[in-house]
Amino acid sequence: AREKNYQLFLGNSNWERDREEQLIRTMISNRVDGIIIDPATTDLTHIIRSGIATVYLSYDPTNLDTTYIGID
């Protein structure tokens, strides 16, 4: 990441929805290029509205046109 002049932000919500939303708002306000998330909630409208590229882990957002990584 450093070679490409990127910074990596990590956040842990400890499965708390309010904390997760706060972390996402912070990332959006810092204009991150993308988010990789294992969401604690299924209400992901704040991420979707932001237009930020997002990859979801262990969550299949079947009603969204997005990328996810799941476990078989």
Side-chain angles (χ1 to χ4, degrees):
R2 187 184 335 174
E3 292 173 4
K4 299 290 184 179
N5 201 27
Y6 281 98
Q7 294 180 345
L8 179 65
F9 295 98
L10 297 174
N12 181 358
S13 69
N14 201 28
W15 299 105
E16 296 174 19
R17 291 178 182 187
D18 291 339
R19 177 70 180 138
E20 178 178 279
E21 289 178 17
Q22 179 185 13
L23 288 166
I24 292 169
R25 281 193 305 271
T26 299
M27 290 182 186
I28 291 170
S29 69
N30 281 292
R31 300 175 52 131
V32 297
D33 292 318
I35 296 175
I36 300 172
I37 185 171
D38 188 358
T41 181
T42 57
D43 180 12
L44 305 169
T45 54
H46 48 293
I47 298 176
I48 297 164
R49 284 190 208 136
S50 73
I52 294 173
T54 306
V55 174
Y56 299 93
L57 304 176
S58 304
Y59 171 71
D60 178 5
T62 54
N63 59 338
L64 304 176
D65 182 24
T66 189
T67 303
Y68 80 97
I69 299 172
I71 299 172
D72 232 347

